[in-house]
Amino acid sequence: MHQRTPEITIIGGGIVGLSVALGLLQAGRTVQVLDGADGDARASQGNFGLIWGQGKGWNFAPYANWTMDALAAWPAFAQLLQELSGINLALDQSGGYEFFTDVQEMAGFTAEMTQQASHLGNRASYEMLSGDDLRSQLPGLGPKVVGASFSPRDGHLNPLRFLRALRIAVQNAGGRLRTGASVTTISPQPRGGFALTLASAEVLHSDQVVLCAGLGSAPLAGDLGFTTQVKPQLGELLITEKLGVRLPFLSSTIRQVDEGGVQIGGTKADAGIDDRESLRVMSDLARHAVTVLPALADVRVVRAWGALRVMSPDGYPVYAKSAAHPGAFLVTCHSGVTLAPLHASVLADWILNTSPTPDLEAFDECRFALSHAA
């Protein structure tokens, strides 16, 4: 069966793909999003919901500045999504902490924040606080906390509500969203455009293709001439019962969602494609949370899960245009929530080659070839 699809097809219906689709729709393009099977590894359904900049790009200036641009763009983007979807994302950008219980670990992060600030210039905004300073400001903080960094620009939102809002916004903006549409091969056509074969054997055609399928991009990237090898990174979470009181802080490892439950996370592990949680890691997470805020010792854990992040070879985003097959693009990153406002605006301009086209050369996949050559 052959069917003509819209001029741009997004492969991947997670936060990254939907954000890119929304930006292209806002620019007046006709867009279709192909979302895969329910059993696919989905970072968008297991993320922590942070909008975070601390330490990001400390050794890569383009990423430090890209992240700062995204943080500044979030309030207007949240308002746009609410207008298009009718969903309040529970956005809160009132600042966040990175807590430390080890002096040397804090010293290392302090050096990273200093380097990040050198990239950001007068846009840098953070402070390093001692444990005693923190305990005077945050009631109930544990005695083993030696200090923390704080940035007033960081925040969080309800991640599942965000994903739902994106899906609705894309459709209300005129986009077509197909679920259960797993792409098995992409074939560039001699006269331009692409033929996309689905697992159902249906063949679709598109003038342009943007590959945003996360870990599912790996078997398709070569069809379009891309060489980036993404890999999974396992993160594990604990979810507590809903609390009637609000936590006195937001941190990168402990956050309270707007409904009242507390999420505890922050782990990183190379576990292949296995997203199962482990008792050892769950115990470590609980121990960390109680060390930071001892009152959590009396709170019940009601859920636990593991989810796979999408990581490029150096951990930074990849925005690549295929030299071999014009009209094909690769977009992958592990900070899809934080970067969403830029994916829905600046990145769309880059894909459409508008004037002035944003300079995203630093995020091209050619940097991997250059590093190997060096």
Side-chain angles (χ1 to χ4, degrees):
M1 176 180 178
H2 293 271
Q3 177 182 336
R4 187 65 184 176
T5 62
E7 59 179 305
I8 302 177
T9 296
I10 309 291
I11 302 175
I15 286 173
V16 173
L18 291 169
S19 298
V20 173
L22 184 59
L24 294 169
L25 289 163
Q26 292 284 105
R29 302 298 177 166
T30 306
V31 179
Q32 175 171 255
V33 179
L34 302 180
D35 195 20
D38 287 341
D40 292 345
R42 292 177 177 269
S44 295
Q45 294 182 359
N47 74 81
F48 208 58
L50 293 178
I51 298 168
W52 211 255
Q54 290 184 60
K56 290 187 176 179
W58 68 271
N59 61 347
F60 187 44
Y63 187 47
N65 283 281
W66 185 241
T67 300
M68 189 59 62
D69 290 344
L71 296 178
W74 250 107
F77 183 57
Q79 181 62 37
L80 171 66
L81 276 181
Q82 184 163 349
E83 292 171 357
L84 287 173
S85 69
I87 295 176
N88 185 335
L89 306 182
L91 174 67
D92 176 6
Q93 270 185 284
S94 55
Y97 294 85
E98 295 275 2
F99 291 115
F100 297 94
T101 57
D102 181 273
V103 174
Q104 290 185 338
E105 185 180 359
M106 182 173 174
F109 192 72
T110 300
E112 292 179 7
M113 291 295 289
T114 301
Q115 184 65 31
Q116 183 193 46
S118 72
H119 300 320
L120 295 174
N122 60 13
R123 295 206 298 171
S125 180
Y126 76 98
E127 57 182 324
M128 304 302 298
L129 301 166
S130 71
D132 290 339
D133 288 339
L134 289 167
R135 279 179 282 276
S136 69
Q137 299 174 17
L138 303 174
L141 205 67
K144 293 184 179 180
V145 175
V146 299
S149 61
F150 174 79
S151 172
R153 302 185 190 278
D154 291 337
H156 63 152
L157 47 67
N158 186 308
L160 294 181
R161 202 180 296 168
F162 176 39
L163 181 59
R164 186 164 73 250
L166 277 172
R167 291 170 67 93
I168 295 172
V170 163
Q171 293 175 91
N172 286 345
R176 184 183 179 197
L177 174 60
R178 289 190 55 175
T179 59
S182 299
V183 179
T184 57
T185 60
I186 307 172
S187 302
Q189 300 298 286
R191 296 184 179 181
F194 304 86
L196 295 81
T197 303
L198 305 186
S200 63
E202 181 180 1
V203 178
L204 307 176
H205 295 268
S206 183
D207 295 327
Q208 294 180 294
V209 171
V210 187
L211 186 55
C212 304
L215 296 175
S217 296
L220 298 172
D223 291 348
L224 301 174
F226 297 116
T227 59
T228 297
Q229 299 294 313
V230 296
K231 65 177 183 179
Q233 182 188 74
L234 176 63
E236 299 182 47
L237 299 176
L238 294 177
I239 312 297
T240 77
E241 62 184 319
K242 295 179 180 179
L243 306 183
V245 296
R246 302 302 301 176
L247 294 190
F249 59 79
L250 162 71
S251 83
S252 63
T253 57
I254 304 171
R255 64 178 289 263
Q256 187 174 29
V257 301
D258 55 306
E259 294 100 335
V262 176
Q263 290 189 348
I264 302 164
T267 68
K268 301 176 182 179
D270 293 326
I273 205 69
D274 186 354
D275 65 356
R276 292 174 296 178
E277 67 275 9
S278 67
L279 180 59
R280 179 188 62 79
V281 173
M282 296 293 106
S283 298
D284 289 344
L285 286 174
R287 188 177 301 110
H288 164 76
V290 172
T291 299
V292 173
L293 192 64
L296 290 174
D298 298 324
V299 176
R300 291 182 301 168
V301 172
V302 296
R303 294 179 62 197
W305 74 68
L308 299 177
R309 302 181 184 94
V310 183
M311 302 298 294
S312 68
D314 60 7
Y316 297 124
V318 175
Y319 308 128
K321 299 181 179 182
S322 175
H325 306 292
F329 305 85
L330 173 65
V331 176
T332 186
C333 74
H334 79 281
S335 296
V337 175
T338 298
L339 299 177
L342 302 186
H343 291 166
S345 56
V346 179
L347 198 63
D349 293 336
W350 173 78
I351 290 170
L352 297 174
N353 198 31
T354 57
S355 181
T357 301
D359 182 9
L360 299 179
E361 183 179 357
F363 299 105
D364 193 271
E365 66 174 1
C366 66
R367 70 183 188 266
F368 304 129
L370 292 174
S371 65
H372 291 322

